[in-house]
Amino acid sequence: MRQGRSNTSGCLWLVLLAPCTWFAFLPLVVGYSFARSARNRAHRLFPRHGHRVVDDRHVTRVQKVRAWTAAAMSLMLLAVYGKPEDVAEAQEQYMMRLAVTPPLLLLSAPVVIAVLFRWASAERRSAMRASVRAALRSAGWYVGAVTALPLLGGAIILLGRNRTPSAGASEPAPWLILATALPLVWLLFFIGFATGPAIRTGFNTSAVHAALPALLTGTLVWEFAVISMVAGGLPPGPPLIQALAVVGGPASVTAVVWWEIRRLRTLYGVTLRA
């Protein structure tokens, strides 16, 4: 008899706690579904390995060595000549590069593509146009998501301010705020998953020409050098060290880019000019 009462009370507690458990896990379930949907859409538009039109492991290895060497030299420069404010400024420049890279890439890619079109033959141009249209569609998705993000955020703020209505004003329904917040959450996940692959693939412009990622990298690195000079000034150290720090990074990237394009021409038959 006691066992029957124990089973009955256990089932009763399970029934009473089930709604509480559901409401506790509901945000996690919704967040996971949104993250999964946004990730699938982002990877469909910007494949994670879409930048590897020609998978040359020697080039990849040299790029990694150059990147790690540049990072080590920057840390050494800060450790020897840097001050506390220089470390804070280096962190600010790093965050600035993360924010500036997508719009700078969107502005630089059309210029580089136009130069490639000018150099290419008529047959090659017709094949490149289809890839350019696909890249424009994917870039439009990214620009639209970034543009809609502050618009939705502003709409939520305005709706939240109207939650305390004045005399004669109507209070907005809670479901209206929720309906505005859900797309905002989805867009945050989408931008988070899409930004890295979009930058690596140059917004899918790597499909336009096999040498385009290298050309974009060589262009962006000099643009970043100018932006860093204007925004943060010269790095710490004596004048000779400053000059080497400013020019050495972009020059080493340009040398790797030139070597990569040379390998594309000699090993894979990829040419820039007709």
Side-chain angles (χ1 to χ4, degrees):
M1 191 68 181
R2 291 180 180 177
Q3 185 178 2
R5 288 181 180 178
S6 177
N7 292 338
T8 304
S9 60
C11 294
L12 181 61
W13 278 109
L14 183 61
V15 171
L16 293 176
L17 292 177
C20 300
T21 306
W22 172 252
F23 282 114
F25 282 99
L26 182 60
L28 295 177
V29 174
V30 173
Y32 174 77
S33 62
F34 270 48
R36 184 181 177 86
S37 172
R39 184 193 62 181
N40 292 339
R41 185 61 184 173
H43 290 172
R44 193 177 299 116
L45 287 170
F46 305 104
R48 287 175 292 177
H49 303 294
H51 60 290
R52 296 179 181 176
V53 180
V54 176
D55 191 5
D56 193 333
R57 296 182 179 180
H58 294 287
V59 173
T60 304
R61 190 179 300 114
V62 171
Q63 289 173 344
K64 290 181 179 180
V65 171
R66 196 223 67 84
W68 283 108
T69 303
M73 294 299 293
S74 299
L75 292 176
M76 187 182 302
L77 186 64
L78 288 175
V80 175
Y81 300 105
K83 301 176 182 178
E85 54 269 20
D86 294 326
V87 177
E89 184 178 342
Q91 294 176 349
E92 292 176 359
Q93 289 190 4
Y94 177 76
M95 298 304 297
M96 179 194 67
R97 286 193 178 191
L98 292 180
V100 169
T101 297
L104 190 62
L105 187 59
L106 286 171
L107 293 175
S108 304
V111 178
V112 179
I113 291 174
V115 173
L116 284 177
F117 262 88
R118 179 68 180 82
W119 289 345
S121 62
E123 295 79 8
R124 181 59 184 166
R125 290 175 190 172
S126 60
M128 292 168 63
R129 287 191 182 94
S131 300
V132 170
R133 286 193 291 267
L136 287 175
R137 286 193 296 268
S138 59
W141 261 90
Y142 188 89
V143 172
V146 173
T147 304
L149 204 62
L151 296 179
L152 291 174
I156 293 175
I157 293 174
L158 292 177
L159 291 174
R161 289 178 179 176
N162 293 332
R163 290 288 292 170
T164 56
S166 58
S170 59
E171 183 178 358
W175 63 265
L176 189 59
I177 298 178
L178 180 62
T180 310
L182 290 179
L184 179 66
V185 174
W186 190 91
L187 287 175
L188 286 172
F189 281 120
F190 174 79
I191 293 173
F193 286 114
T195 299
I199 292 174
R200 285 194 299 270
T201 62
F203 292 95
N204 288 335
T205 54
S206 56
V208 177
H209 196 284
L212 189 55
L215 293 174
L216 282 175
T217 302
T219 303
L220 288 175
V221 71
W222 287 104
E223 292 174 346
F224 278 130
V226 174
I227 292 174
S228 299
M229 284 278 295
V230 173
L234 293 172
L240 179 60
I241 299 297
Q242 289 178 335
L244 291 176
V246 171
V247 181
S252 62
V253 173
T254 304
V256 174
V257 166
W258 177 83
W259 176 67
E260 180 181 358
I261 293 176
R262 186 172 179 272
R263 284 180 63 88
L264 287 174
R265 183 180 69 253
T266 56
L267 299 181
Y268 304 99
V270 177
T271 58
L272 296 180
R273 296 179 179 273

